[in-house]
Amino acid sequence: MNEAPISLETRVEFLVPLNKLSAERQARLLRQAEVLTLRKKDRLFDQGDRDDYTFYLLDGEIEMFADGSLIKRVTGGEGASFQPLAQLQPRQMSAVARSRAQVLRISRSLLEQLLGVDQPPPAPAPGSGIDVDEIETTATSDWLLNLLQSELFRRIPQAHLQTLLDTLETVSVPSQTVVVQQGQPGDYFYIVKEGTCEVVRTAARGREIRLAELGPGDTFGEEALVSGTARNASVRMTSDGELARLTQRDFTRLLQAPLLDAVSRAEAASRIAAGARWLDVRFEDEHAHNGLPNSLNIPLSQLRSRSSELPTTTPYVAYCDSGGRSSAAAFLLAGRGYEVCFVSGGAVDDALAEPSAAPTAAPTAAPTAAPTAA
């Protein structure tokens, strides 16, 4: 099976439910799509497969089999080809090319998200000729696509997405403006719509350390809102741009509450017994003093740059001494696709004068640079 360059000058307006999107959002989706070229007898997918794709047959013929029996043939350009191929998960049928064929493959989850937030005017009548090459694209239009593809927004309930987008306030910000200031209390959660900004932290003797550069679709400002602490870094615009923002109240209602899983100490212990790992997000000396036995230790201030050290297949129970830092850690990790909860009210072992077991370091791996929210 070979992948061919994307060329969608016809049929786009026929594909259901892709044709229910506005032309702009069709273009966004199609920029992420691929046109696959199949040879005769190539298998597109098999019965029982699970994947995150929606397939449309553009040209050629596909045979659909279930339990070894031929169920139907689909021909490009005819009625059945305008619907997704065997869309149910797991796949109820296998798809095999009966001839040379071209198939459009798009992200199922992204399509569903765009359908959930898009309220377009009626689709153009068949034959109006949407030409993908003629649709204007700009960096500004990419911010929403980048946002919806982030792990954070993949986990937001579909019902919240449209409300969240309707609630966002857009502000224009000139270059060199300090949007958030290290040491100040948190007030807003920000999304970069247009332009670029940098995340910097002032270290000892006033030395400024540049931590990350952010662009359209990137977010910042959540850590101080979740933990209730001061900003741990500054964010400064490096170009003129536009930011979308949520107040702390709306952030809590629309983002924080759906993502955070707060548990009691007893429930946390049950999850540990079932295979989860303790994750102490306090500083190293705090962990050494009264960290829970066999707990991993990555301070919250380092978690963004070191989260790749944590296997994604392991569930985690984040804790600190109050629940503040661990709630921020849980939000950060949940937004990156981890299965994680935090202990409400904190969890430390004050009975330990010295750790009963040597602290367990997180798995070693080369740290990767990652944006640090303020």
Side-chain angles (χ1 to χ4, degrees):
M1 186 185 302
N2 297 316
E3 297 185 2
I6 298 174
S7 177
L8 299 176
E9 298 180 356
T10 59
R11 296 212 184 96
V12 174
E13 68 269 26
F14 296 94
L15 304 182
V16 179
L18 179 58
N19 60 357
K20 305 304 182 185
L21 295 172
S22 62
E24 180 188 6
R25 289 186 175 171
Q26 284 183 24
R28 294 180 189 178
L29 185 62
L30 293 175
R31 284 200 300 274
Q32 305 294 314
E34 296 172 287
V35 175
L36 307 181
T37 299
L38 279 63
R39 299 165 298 183
K40 184 177 180 179
K41 296 186 178 181
D42 276 345
R43 305 181 76 84
L44 182 61
F45 52 77
D46 288 310
Q47 184 177 359
D49 283 356
R50 290 183 180 273
D51 54 64
D52 186 40
Y53 297 119
T54 293
F55 296 99
Y56 294 97
L57 178 61
L58 301 177
D59 292 294
E61 285 189 311
I62 293 283
E63 292 184 323
M64 311 296 294
F65 295 88
D67 301 322
S69 299
L70 177 64
I71 304 300
K72 62 179 179 180
R73 291 192 178 97
V74 182
T75 302
E78 298 184 359
S81 70
F82 304 141
Q83 302 286 338
L85 296 171
Q87 181 78 333
L88 291 179
Q89 295 283 321
R91 300 282 180 184
Q92 304 299 298
M93 291 181 276
S94 299
V96 182
R98 188 167 185 260
S99 66
R100 181 179 174 83
Q102 284 195 318
V103 176
L104 174 65
R105 183 176 72 183
I106 64 177
S107 166
R108 175 202 303 269
S109 57
L110 183 56
L111 172 60
E112 291 176 351
Q113 287 176 312
L114 289 174
L115 288 168
V117 301
D118 200 22
Q119 300 294 329
S128 60
I130 296 177
D131 188 335
V132 174
D133 293 334
E134 295 176 356
I135 296 177
E136 181 178 355
T137 62
T138 65
T140 303
S141 68
D142 286 337
W143 76 271
L144 180 59
L145 185 65
N146 293 340
L147 190 71
L148 293 178
Q149 289 182 302
S150 69
E151 286 292 341
L152 173 61
F153 277 75
R154 285 176 185 267
R155 296 170 67 96
I156 299 301
Q158 190 71 38
H160 284 221
L161 278 176
Q162 187 62 56
T163 301
L164 187 151
L165 293 175
D166 291 342
T167 306
L168 289 172
E169 175 191 8
T170 298
V171 292
S172 296
V173 188
S175 179
Q176 299 306 306
T177 299
V178 177
V179 182
V180 301
Q181 181 69 54
Q182 182 177 340
Q184 295 298 309
D187 50 3
Y188 289 100
F189 167 75
Y190 292 92
I191 302 168
V192 182
K193 292 184 66 174
E194 183 179 358
T196 57
C197 51
E198 60 181 357
V199 182
V200 296
R201 180 176 293 153
T202 302
R205 300 181 181 178
R207 185 169 63 94
E208 192 173 85
I209 302 172
R210 192 169 189 266
L211 301 176
E213 182 176 38
L214 308 179
D218 289 329
T219 63
F220 61 92
E222 69 271 21
E223 187 173 307
L225 301 185
V226 176
S227 65
T229 58
R231 303 285 193 187
N232 64 10
S234 298
V235 179
R236 180 171 56 226
M237 298 298 297
T238 52
S239 72
D240 294 342
E242 284 192 346
L243 302 175
R245 65 185 187 183
L246 286 175
T247 64
Q248 183 168 18
R249 179 179 178 181
D250 289 330
F251 170 82
T252 300
R253 175 172 61 94
L254 297 171
L255 276 172
Q256 180 179 337
L259 273 184
L260 282 180
D261 182 11
V263 300
S264 66
R265 178 67 186 270
E267 172 62 20
S270 296
R271 298 196 184 192
I272 295 299
R277 293 296 307 274
W278 290 114
L279 177 62
D280 190 331
V281 297
R282 301 175 300 158
F283 289 108
E284 290 91 341
D285 53 353
E286 295 177 284
H287 179 247
H289 172 63
N290 60 0
L292 297 177
N294 300 315
S295 56
L296 306 176
N297 177 221
I298 301 181
L300 176 61
S301 60
Q302 302 175 22
L303 192 57
R304 285 181 174 269
S305 61
R306 294 180 56 192
S307 61
S308 60
E309 298 176 24
L310 299 172
T312 57
T313 54
T314 301
Y316 296 95
V317 179
Y319 76 91
C320 61
D321 53 4
S322 67
R325 283 176 285 180
S326 57
S327 62
F331 184 88
L332 186 155
L333 291 176
R336 297 190 173 196
Y338 287 87
E339 181 182 346
V340 59
C341 64
F342 76 99
V343 184
S344 179
V348 295
D349 198 340
D350 284 325
L352 291 178
E354 295 293 338
S356 61
T360 304
T364 56
T368 56
T372 300

